[in-house]
Amino acid sequence: MLLSSRVKGLTDSITMKLNEKALNLNDEGKVIYNLSGGQLPIKPMPEFIEKIHHQLNFLKSYQYSPVAGFPNLRKKLIKQCTDSRALPAEIFEADYDCIISNGSKHSIYNVLGALLDPGDEVILLAPYWVSYPEMIKFWGGVPTVVKSNVFDAFVPAIDDIKKVISGKTKAIIVNSPNNPAGIHYSESWMKDFAAFLLENPDLIVISDEVYSEICYFDPKPSYFYQYDHTLLTRTVIIQAISKTLASTGLRLGYAIGPQNLISAMGKIQGQTTSGPNSLVQRALADFDFSLIENFLTPVKYHVRQNAAALREKFREANLGHCWYQSTSAFYFMIDFSRTPMFARFDNDRQDHSFTIADELLNQEGITVVPGTDFGVPNSARIALVIEEVPFLEALSKIVRYLNRT
Ligand code: PLP
């Protein structure tokens, strides 16, 4: 069958291939340490599950919701955003709105659909979340990548962003806390970014904040629009319950932004997926968001402990130059390019991320996500969420592999 050129332009996820192989190896009896996960390996808190149970009793939980989601929940999500970001209470009252979608990936897809014409450029800050470039291309846009490196803890320089602005630049996606780097951009970075935006008045910002609650080092994440509220007129904030409520499978995310953009997203949503899951929305509308902080406290403690263990292992193994202080979300990027193992590639300037991830799986039983899809060659993302004992075992194996010549 002849497929569309649009879909042919999409790349297959190489992670899927590795995951398939990991499953096969596991079936053959090999112990596999899965560090490739993008979700918390725990259930949500009982209070939220209880709300879902309760909503099972109502007919409305099984019927279509309004396209943009239930108004009471949208209002509640806007309030949650204003309160947690210390924004003036009335800031979103006029000219702004919220739309709830089937996960924040869906929200981002709709934002890009509402914004992009063919050829429009969208700036991505590497490392970036794997789906951004593919979604941009799907809508006919062109991703423009700003690089960063391990020495700067994967924080891109504002000056480098300035260099890629062109007459075709439409938007920039900022993801802080960042998947895959596991860091958030500092207050001073956000202030400089705000100043940069003021110099570029047509640039629209997609601020992907799905990990905003998962930060295990102070100061907590801040956002450019907190330093200049006028920037909200061209910002769309992306949020979700996937990470903060350990509910990736419930598929609920949302966007808060200028009314005309949100209503354009609603047009796309209305003609494609309709409104999001009614049952989960109703449970969420009835749920006390203030419980999330307590729920996440042990999670953050655990991630912080694993990050500290990683530092110790790398230090003991003379791999300190591959280490940086991760602070948020639950990931870490390993840069292979300065490890003994990498010498055999003779600095050939190729990206060997996949080969290395494949070897780590075959030789050590470790699954990681190759850095290629995050825009960082010769690296891999590991998740810091698995239990301490298997995590330490996995680390020993990674270190052994990295020091192998
Ligand atoms: N944004 C980032 C940075 C992510 O890491 C993810 C998921 O991994 C998403 C958005 C999408 O999450 P969901 O669609 O589950 O809300």
Side-chain angles (χ1 to χ4, degrees):
M1 192 180 295
L2 195 60
L3 301 175
S4 73
S5 47
R6 189 183 305 115
V7 87
K8 281 193 222 149
L10 288 177
T11 51
D12 266 331
S13 166
I14 49 179
T15 317
M16 292 311 232
K17 281 191 203 153
L18 287 171
N19 280 348
E20 220 174 276
K21 194 166 184 179
L23 285 177
N24 290 340
L25 287 170
N26 200 231
D27 284 348
E28 288 164 18
K30 183 160 184 166
V31 178
I32 300 294
Y33 297 84
N34 184 359
L35 302 188
S36 67
Q39 56 194 346
L40 292 175
I42 51 171
K43 280 207 296 190
M45 66 257 275
E47 293 87 343
F48 181 48
I49 297 175
E50 164 53 31
K51 295 290 179 200
I52 295 176
H53 275 171
H54 178 67
Q55 292 302 332
L56 288 171
N57 298 323
F58 298 95
L59 173 66
K60 282 197 169 166
S61 300
Y62 301 90
Q63 296 188 317
Y64 288 127
S65 99
V67 167
F70 290 115
N72 60 337
L73 178 59
R74 285 158 58 202
K75 231 172 148 174
K76 184 169 168 174
L77 295 171
I78 288 179
K79 179 162 168 27
Q80 154 85 355
C81 179
T82 10
D83 291 352
S84 59
R85 308 280 181 276
L87 295 169
E90 68 295 340
I91 193 120
F92 290 124
E93 261 166 29
D95 306 326
Y96 291 91
D97 208 343
C98 168
I99 183 167
I100 307 170
S101 306
N102 301 292
S104 61
K105 182 184 259 185
H106 186 208
S107 300
I108 299 166
Y109 176 80
N110 287 344
V111 176
L112 293 168
L115 287 178
L116 298 185
D117 279 320
D120 282 347
E121 292 175 5
V122 181
I123 300 175
L124 297 180
L125 309 179
Y128 47 74
W129 183 46
V130 289
S131 294
Y132 299 147
E134 297 310 302
M135 291 198 273
I136 293 166
K137 286 187 269 173
F138 193 80
W139 284 111
V142 181
T144 311
V145 177
V146 176
K147 296 205 174 299
S148 65
N149 61 58
V150 64
F151 302 113
D152 296 322
F154 294 110
V155 177
I158 304 282
D159 278 345
D160 290 340
I161 305 178
K162 288 180 185 165
K163 287 181 200 149
V164 301
I165 291 278
S166 81
K168 294 198 159 197
T169 308
K170 182 82 186 246
I172 178 167
I173 304 185
V174 178
N175 171 220
S176 175
N178 181 270
N179 173 8
I183 51 100
H184 54 279
Y185 304 146
S186 67
E187 280 176 25
S188 72
W189 191 96
M190 283 292 175
K191 281 181 189 160
D192 290 349
F193 184 62
F196 155 78
L197 288 173
L198 292 173
E199 287 162 18
N200 293 274
D202 296 326
L203 191 59
I204 296 163
V205 193
I206 301 168
S207 184
D208 182 343
E209 304 176 8
V210 300
Y211 296 95
S212 61
E213 306 303 316
I214 306 179
C215 159
Y216 49 91
F217 263 101
D218 282 339
K220 294 194 171 25
S222 66
Y223 293 97
F224 54 94
Y225 50 78
Q226 292 173 301
Y227 304 110
D228 187 327
H229 298 159
T230 65
L231 294 172
L232 283 168
T233 59
R234 50 192 167 109
T235 299
V236 58
I237 297 170
I238 304 292
Q239 271 288 7
I241 63 167
S242 288
K243 315 294 172 175
T244 45
L245 270 173
S247 299
T248 47
L250 296 184
R251 308 311 302 133
L252 213 93
Y254 53 98
I256 296 173
Q259 215 158 42
N260 67 336
L261 174 60
I262 300 294
S263 108
M265 290 168 68
K267 275 195 205 167
I268 300 174
Q269 188 156 299
Q271 299 297 3
T272 50
T273 57
S274 299
N277 184 323
S278 296
L279 172 69
V280 179
Q281 283 190 78
R282 287 167 57 86
L284 209 58
D286 205 17
F287 173 68
D288 178 0
F289 288 158
S290 71
L291 297 173
I292 294 176
E293 199 177 335
N294 271 351
F295 171 65
L296 289 176
T297 302
V299 171
K300 292 190 273 189
Y301 178 78
H302 173 60
V303 175
R304 188 178 161 130
Q305 292 291 95
N306 277 355
L310 190 142
R311 180 191 57 207
E312 273 316 292
K313 285 270 184 203
F314 274 26
R315 197 183 52 78
E316 284 165 10
N318 289 327
L319 293 165
H321 46 282
C322 300
W323 187 83
Y324 60 94
Q325 180 62 66
S326 58
T327 57
S328 43
F330 37 75
Y331 310 105
F332 187 90
M333 282 295 270
I334 301 180
D335 176 356
F336 302 120
S337 63
R338 282 167 196 85
T339 63
M341 169 277 304
F342 201 75
R344 76 185 134 110
F345 295 118
D346 270 343
N347 245 334
D348 62 6
R349 298 184 166 268
Q350 303 293 310
D351 178 14
H352 301 285
S353 301
F354 182 80
T355 308
I356 295 169
D358 197 42
E359 283 182 2
L360 265 170
L361 179 57
N362 290 326
Q363 296 175 18
E364 305 291 348
I366 312 274
T367 57
V368 298
V369 186
T372 313
D373 284 355
F374 300 112
V376 184
N378 297 312
S379 71
R381 185 192 79 181
I382 61 167
L384 303 176
V385 285
I386 69 165
E387 304 243 324
E388 189 187 352
V389 173
F391 185 70
L392 291 177
E393 288 168 7
L395 277 181
S396 300
K397 287 167 181 286
I398 291 174
V399 159
R400 179 170 67 190
Y401 173 79
L402 295 180
N403 268 336
R404 199 170 283 155
T405 46

